[in-house]
Amino acid sequence: MSEIALEAWGDHEALILKPPRSPLSIPPPRPRTAVLFPRREGFYTELGGFLPEVRLRFETYGGLSRKRDNAVLIFHALTGSAHLAGVYDEATFQSLSPLERAFGKEGWWDSLVGPGRILDPSLYYVISANHLGSCYGSTGPLSLDPRTGKPYGKDFPPLTIRDLARAQARLLDHLGVEKTTVIGGSLGGMVALEFALMYPERVRKLVVLAAPPRHGPWARAFNHLARQAILLDPEYQEGHPAPRGMALARGIAMMSYRAPEGFAARWQEAPELGEAYLDYQGEKFLKRFHAESYLVLSRAMDTHDVGRGRGGLEAALRRLRDLPALFVGIDTDLLYPAWEVREAARLAGARYREIKSPHGHDAFLIETDQVEEILEAFLP
């Protein structure tokens, strides 16, 4: 079990500082944007909405093999981005939007992608795209509606996890990838599950980290409280893009991402510092995310139920029995408890592994040594 040596950059500010398996890193990445559903076609959402055009921001690492059999598609969590790995050079960094710059120069899973690491670009063609509805370059509430020339804002249509998966499938078409290994954690794990059920012929292997097959009442309750913190804020009602309620929403979410063991280990002697940590996280969040994207994506999470329209949860998961699949739980996860992930693995006839950590749900982002060890036994 690891301990935090020093606070560093990270999506949830809790990376453990230790040398990577290889000191080599990938060249500075170049984010790209693809028009995947052009205006002549548009994108009809599962709930009946319509987007005249859909773009996804994405990054790739490595190249597609001649046999086109080495692709790995990574799905990020709720407030993640396409910037999976590497460190932006200054010119690229300055060309990004203010929110993307606030996210940081370093990729969110950088310690797993690079020469000699589990996702070695000399072996794999690694793809990571910002989800539809987000605020880091993909079509979302901040995007201009071609019909009006103004940002969608509150008029952005509601999405489901299946909408997110469908957009990512079109990205594979754009990149010439027919079949891929899919990996996702948290919200990304939900998208990975849906992708495998929607496009089984396109999935070589499936890895689901810290994600359930259905967004249940406990997880939905956390999302509800976070959204209420935003929706009831007068600043939000007046149209402010970063209302103070977002800081409270982030604090509520952080309490579901962490665990009592981690808080006790760090702040047992000075519990007020744990409170200050949540305040700090909230202040940082105001600078790097947009309220409408948070609302759109958290509501999409609440639609997640792989059994919907497939004869129920068990019937849906049984469809994965012929697919090599790995489900990874976390022993201290309060948001999606290990038993929930373990049961999904059993129903899917999949392998199950468990991360041991005091850091709760965020452990799939923090305990990268354990993640690497788990993936090493499954990916080859």
Side-chain angles (χ1 to χ4, degrees):
M1 188 175 293
S2 303
E3 294 181 357
I4 293 179
L6 180 68
E7 286 296 305
W9 181 94
D11 188 35
H12 301 307
E13 284 289 332
L15 292 181
I16 299 168
L17 294 189
K18 49 196 169 187
R21 177 161 298 184
S22 164
L24 302 176
S25 60
I26 61 174
R30 296 286 188 271
R32 291 178 281 167
T33 303
V35 179
L36 301 178
F37 291 85
R39 296 184 191 182
R40 65 178 180 275
E41 178 182 359
F43 183 93
Y44 290 90
T45 70
E46 186 184 7
L47 297 177
F50 178 73
L51 292 167
E53 179 183 272
V54 164
R55 300 169 181 249
L56 286 194
R57 173 87 87 194
F58 69 99
E59 293 183 10
T60 61
Y61 317 88
L64 192 60
S65 66
R66 289 185 179 180
K67 294 183 179 180
R68 298 178 177 269
D69 61 354
N70 67 332
V72 178
L73 179 59
I74 311 287
F75 302 116
H76 65 74
L78 172 61
T79 64
S81 80
H83 187 31
L84 175 71
V87 179
Y88 289 139
D89 60 32
E90 189 61 25
T92 298
F93 186 66
Q94 293 302 325
S95 71
L96 302 176
S97 71
L99 290 176
E100 289 174 296
R101 289 199 300 272
F103 189 86
K105 286 188 175 182
E106 184 179 339
W108 57 269
W109 233 9
D110 184 66
S111 59
L112 296 180
V113 182
R117 303 176 195 174
I118 185 62
L119 296 172
D120 190 329
S122 70
L123 302 175
Y124 297 108
Y125 181 46
V126 183
I127 306 161
S128 177
N130 186 225
H131 289 307
L132 178 67
S134 188
C135 55
Y136 292 130
S138 293
T139 297
L142 279 179
S143 304
L144 298 182
D145 183 341
R147 297 166 297 189
T148 65
K150 299 178 181 179
Y152 287 100
K154 296 178 182 179
D155 293 328
F156 194 82
L159 301 175
T160 68
I161 298 297
R162 296 177 189 183
D163 291 325
L164 272 56
R166 186 155 59 96
Q168 299 259 357
R170 182 63 70 92
L171 176 63
L172 293 187
D173 296 339
H174 174 78
L175 296 174
V177 174
E178 296 177 359
K179 200 165 187 176
T180 182
T181 292
V182 293
I183 301 174
S186 195
L187 166 62
M190 301 176 202
V191 180
L193 262 175
E194 274 296 345
F195 191 98
L197 287 164
M198 293 171 71
Y199 310 102
E201 73 286 353
R202 305 196 70 166
V203 177
R204 193 175 305 279
K205 291 184 177 182
L206 166 67
V207 180
V208 177
L209 298 107
R214 175 171 53 208
H215 215 232
W218 176 256
R220 287 175 62 107
F222 275 110
N223 269 357
H224 170 74
L225 289 176
R227 285 195 298 268
Q228 288 298 104
I230 296 172
L231 293 170
L232 296 178
D233 186 337
E235 289 187 349
Y236 171 77
Q237 296 168 10
E238 294 170 2
H240 198 290
R244 299 296 306 174
M246 276 186 65
L248 177 57
R250 182 62 170 176
I252 292 168
M254 287 296 299
M255 291 302 295
S256 73
Y257 298 153
R258 295 305 180 85
E261 295 90 332
F263 266 56
R266 296 185 61 197
W267 298 305
Q268 188 68 50
E269 303 305 319
E272 68 278 4
L273 295 182
E275 299 162 17
Y277 174 76
L278 294 177
D279 291 340
Y280 163 74
Q281 286 291 332
E283 290 297 322
K284 181 181 177 183
F285 195 59
L286 292 177
K287 300 176 183 177
R288 76 166 187 88
F289 216 74
H290 192 276
E292 295 301 337
S293 283
Y294 192 92
L295 295 172
V296 165
L297 289 177
S298 70
R299 286 166 175 154
M301 294 174 77
D302 289 352
T303 72
H304 177 55
D305 181 355
V306 298
R308 177 166 47 85
R310 297 186 178 115
L313 199 65
E314 293 188 21
L317 289 171
R318 280 198 297 269
R319 298 186 187 187
L320 299 174
R321 287 185 173 271
D322 293 331
L323 176 68
L326 169 67
F327 287 66
V328 181
I330 300 167
D331 65 339
T332 55
D333 194 338
L334 298 178
L335 186 58
Y336 308 124
W339 63 262
E340 190 173 25
V341 183
R342 188 185 309 114
E343 177 63 8
R346 185 187 70 81
L347 293 172
R351 301 185 199 183
Y352 176 77
R353 292 288 303 276
E354 196 162 291
I355 296 170
K356 308 296 183 182
S357 173
H359 303 307
H361 179 69
D362 270 354
F364 79 94
L365 295 168
I366 298 170
E367 305 282 4
T368 52
D369 278 1
Q370 290 190 54
V371 173
E372 185 170 38
E373 178 187 355
I374 289 169
L375 293 181
E376 275 182 335
F378 183 72
L379 286 187

